[in-house]
C-alpha cells in the first residue's frame, strides 16, 4: 500500500503542474491542489485544498498578501475532516488575523504500557468540532501582541478490551495571549529574517471548559539566504502543558516540528524539538529541501518521564505554484526512530 501511495505522489506532480492555474481577477489569485500523503497509522490520506490569495487593499503595498482556504480529507483508516481557514493582514501590516473552524473524526493510536504488559498500541477515536481566532496588533517595530480564543467540543473513545467506551462529549475552551516578533521577508516562504511566536492559552471552567489547565507554545524560526538559490532555515519549538493536562491536551511528537514520526508512539505534557533545513532552487520553478532534527517528549511525575532523543531526517521536492507570492507545493519523505512518514504540503514546514 505504501508503494502505491508513493507512486501516486510521484505521478501527481506533473498533473498538478499542468492543471494548477492562477486566476488573477482584481488582484485575487486562486489555486487548488490535491492533498495526499501516507503514514503507518492512518494509511493513505486523500483530499483537496483550495486557497485564495489577495490584498486587503490594493493601495497597501506593505501588508503581506492575505489568504483564505477550504480543505477536506479522508484516510485509509476512515478518519475524515474538513476546515475553513484564513490569514489576514491589513493597514500596512498593523493588524493580523489568524483563524479557522472545522470538524473531524480521527482514528489514531497511542503507546500504552499500563493496560498492555510490555507496552503496545491502543486505538482511539477523537471526534471534534472546533473554532480558533487570533487577533494581533503591531505594538512597536516588529513586535505584535493580541488576544486569541480556542473552543473545541470533542469526544474520545478508547478501544480497550473490557473497558466500556466513554461517549460523553467534553469542552476544551480557552483564551490566550499571542506574541510575535517578525522580521521575515516573506510570511509564506522566508529567505531572510527571524520569526518568534509565543502563545499562552488558559483553559478555565468559567469559559465552559471541562478541563482547567494552561499551555505555552513557543517557537523560534530563523532564515538566512546563502545565494539567490540557497536558503538555510532553523527552528526550535517548545510546548508546555501546565496543570492537570488531559489526554487531548498533550502534544504528539511529529507534525512539522519533527518529520518522520507518524505512529503516535511518543507524546507528553511537554515536547521539545529542534531542526534545520536546507532549501535550494534547482531549475525554473522546481526546488528541493533536505532536513534533520531532534525531539523529546516529557511527562513530569512519571517514573520514567523523558523519552529518548528522537532523530528525524528527510528530503523533499518543491514546485513554486504561485511565483508572485513565493508559495511552494511539494512533498517530503522522512525517517524517524522506528518510524517514517510521507507528507504532501502547501508552503514550507516553517
Amino acid at each position: 500500500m505504501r508503494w502505491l501511495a508513493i507512486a501516486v505522489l510521484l505521478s501527481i506532480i506533473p498533473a498538478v503542474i499542468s492543471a494548477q492555474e492562477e486566476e488573477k481577477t482584481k488582484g485575487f489569485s486562486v489555486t487548488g491542489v490535491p492533498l495526499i500523503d501516507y503514514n503507518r497509522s492512518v494509511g493513505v490520506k486523500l483530499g483537496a485544498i483550495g486557497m485564495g490569495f489577495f490584498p486587503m487593499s490594493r493601495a497597501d503595498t506593505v501588508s503581506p498578501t492575505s489568504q483564505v482556504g477550504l480543505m477536506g480529507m479522508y484516510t485509509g483508516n476512515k478518519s475524515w475532516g474538513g476546515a475553513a481557514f484564513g490569514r489576514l493582514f491589513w493597514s500596512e501590516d498593523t493588524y493580523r488575523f489568524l483563524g479557522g473552524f472545522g470538524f473531524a473524526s480521527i482514528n489514531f493510536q497511542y503507546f500504552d504500557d499500563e493496560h498492555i504488559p510490555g507496552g503496545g498500541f491502543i486505538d482511539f477515536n477523537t471526534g471534534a468540532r472546533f473554532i480558533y481566532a487570533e487577533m494581533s496588533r503591531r505594538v512597536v517595530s516588529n513586535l505584535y501582541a493580541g488576544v486569541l480564543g480556542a473552543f473545541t467540543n470533542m469526544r474520545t473513545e478508547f478501544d480497550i478490551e473490557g473497558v466500556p467506551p466513554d461517549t460523553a462529549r467534553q469542552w476544551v475552551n480557552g483564551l490566550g495571549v499571542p506574541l510575535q516578533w517578525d522580521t521575515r521577508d516573506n510570511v509564506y516562504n522566508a529567505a531572510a529574517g527571524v520569526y518568534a511566536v509565543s502563545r499562552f492559552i488558559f483553559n478555565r471552567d468559567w469559559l465552559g471548559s471541562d478541563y482547567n489547565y494552561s499551555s505555552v507554545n513557543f517557537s523560534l524560526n530563523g532564515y538566512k539566504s546563502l545565494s539567490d538559490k540557497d536558503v538555510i532555515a532553523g527552528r526550535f519549538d517548545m510546548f508546555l502543558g501546565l496543570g492537570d493536562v488531559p489526554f487531548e491536551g498533550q502534544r504528539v511528537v511529529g507534525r512539522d516540528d519533527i518529520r518522520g514520526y507518524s505512529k503516535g508512539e511518543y507524546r507528553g505534557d511537554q515536547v521539545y524539538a529542534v531542526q534545520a533545513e536546507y532549501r535550494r532552487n534547482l531549475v525554473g520553478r522546481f526546488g528541493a529541501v533536505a532536513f534533520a532534527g531532534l525531539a523529546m517528549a516529557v511527562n513530569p511525575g512519571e517514573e520514567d518521564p523523558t523519552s529518548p532523543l528522537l532523530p528525524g531526517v528527510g528530503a523533499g521536492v518543491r514546485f513554486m505554484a504561485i511565483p508572485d507570492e513565493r508559495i511552494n507545493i511539494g512533498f517530503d519523505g522522512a525517517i524517524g526512530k522506528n518510524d517514517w512518514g510521507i507528507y504532501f504540503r502547501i508552503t514550507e514546514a516553517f
Side-chain angles (χ1 to χ4, degrees):
M1 179 64 74
R2 66 176 182 269
W3 298 113
L4 173 61
I6 293 171
V8 172
L9 281 167
L10 293 173
S11 65
I12 207 168
I13 289 179
V16 170
I17 294 170
S18 62
Q20 190 273 335
E21 295 181 353
E22 294 177 43
E23 298 177 6
K24 294 188 175 181
T25 305
K26 297 182 179 179
F28 195 91
S29 300
V30 179
T31 186
V33 295
L35 171 66
I36 178 170
D37 58 33
Y38 179 89
N39 66 58
R40 299 162 70 180
S41 299
V42 304
V44 176
K45 180 193 296 182
L46 297 173
I49 300 178
M51 295 184 297
F53 298 88
F54 58 95
M56 295 287 283
S57 169
R58 282 192 284 174
D60 183 353
T61 60
V62 176
S63 297
T65 301
S66 295
Q67 170 195 19
V68 293
L70 294 169
M71 66 83 65
M73 66 89 183
Y74 187 82
T75 75
N77 75 342
K78 299 182 180 179
S79 298
W80 54 269
F85 54 90
R87 299 175 66 183
L88 307 178
F89 308 86
W90 71 94
S91 189
E92 297 186 338
D93 204 15
T94 300
Y95 298 96
R96 294 180 168 187
F97 173 83
L98 172 68
F101 62 90
F103 46 87
S105 176
I106 305 299
N107 297 308
F108 200 46
Q109 61 186 15
Y110 78 100
F111 190 81
D112 183 281
D113 54 9
E114 177 181 351
H115 298 90
I116 301 177
F121 287 98
I122 290 180
D123 295 331
F124 69 90
N125 170 270
T126 295
R129 300 185 291 267
F130 61 90
I131 183 168
Y132 180 90
E134 174 183 313
M135 181 74 181
S136 297
R137 187 189 192 281
R138 186 194 301 271
V139 177
V140 61
S141 183
N142 300 295
L143 177 64
Y144 295 80
V147 62
L148 65 84
F151 302 88
T152 305
N153 181 245
M154 65 176 63
R155 168 201 38 77
T156 299
E157 297 182 12
F158 298 94
D159 186 13
I160 302 176
E161 185 175 354
V163 178
D166 183 0
T167 59
R169 301 194 70 90
Q170 306 290 331
W171 282 98
V172 181
N173 300 334
L175 295 176
V177 177
L179 297 172
Q180 303 176 54
W181 178 265
D182 192 356
T183 65
R184 292 172 295 175
D185 62 335
N186 184 291
V187 299
Y188 298 112
N189 185 3
V194 172
Y195 181 55
V197 57
S198 295
R199 292 183 173 92
F200 305 86
I201 302 180
F202 307 93
N203 302 289
R204 294 294 183 265
D205 53 9
W206 55 268
L207 290 169
S209 180
D210 292 298
Y211 301 105
N212 283 280
Y213 72 102
S214 303
S215 65
V216 180
N217 196 176
F218 171 76
S219 61
L220 174 63
N221 303 339
Y223 310 88
K224 183 173 179 56
S225 178
L226 304 179
S227 71
D228 59 353
K229 290 181 175 290
D230 303 87
V231 174
I232 293 289
R235 174 177 173 85
F236 169 76
D237 185 83
M238 174 184 71
F239 174 82
L240 301 176
L242 306 173
D244 188 13
V245 182
F247 178 82
E248 295 86 352
Q250 292 181 321
R251 174 70 66 87
V252 179
V253 172
R255 309 190 309 176
D256 288 338
D257 292 321
I258 181 75
R259 284 157 283 182
Y261 291 87
S262 60
K263 293 192 300 183
E265 182 172 356
Y266 302 100
R267 63 187 300 138
D269 294 355
Q270 303 174 12
V271 172
Y272 305 86
V274 61
Q275 63 177 312
E277 184 165 292
Y278 171 64
R279 303 169 181 172
R280 179 171 176 80
N281 173 252
L282 297 175
V283 58
R285 293 160 69 176
F286 289 94
V289 302
F291 50 87
L294 289 170
M296 180 176 65
V298 180
N299 283 294
E302 292 191 358
E303 182 177 346
D304 187 11
T306 304
S307 76
L309 281 178
L310 304 170
V313 62
V317 296
R318 297 290 185 269
F319 175 73
M320 191 163 286
I322 304 181
D324 288 349
E325 310 299 339
R326 287 176 25 197
I327 293 174
N328 287 332
I329 63 173
F331 71 90
D332 298 331
I335 299 173
K337 183 181 176 67
N338 301 316
D339 205 350
W340 57 271
I342 297 172
Y343 311 84
F344 184 90
R345 64 178 327 101
I346 299 176
T347 72
E348 298 300 331
F350 58 91

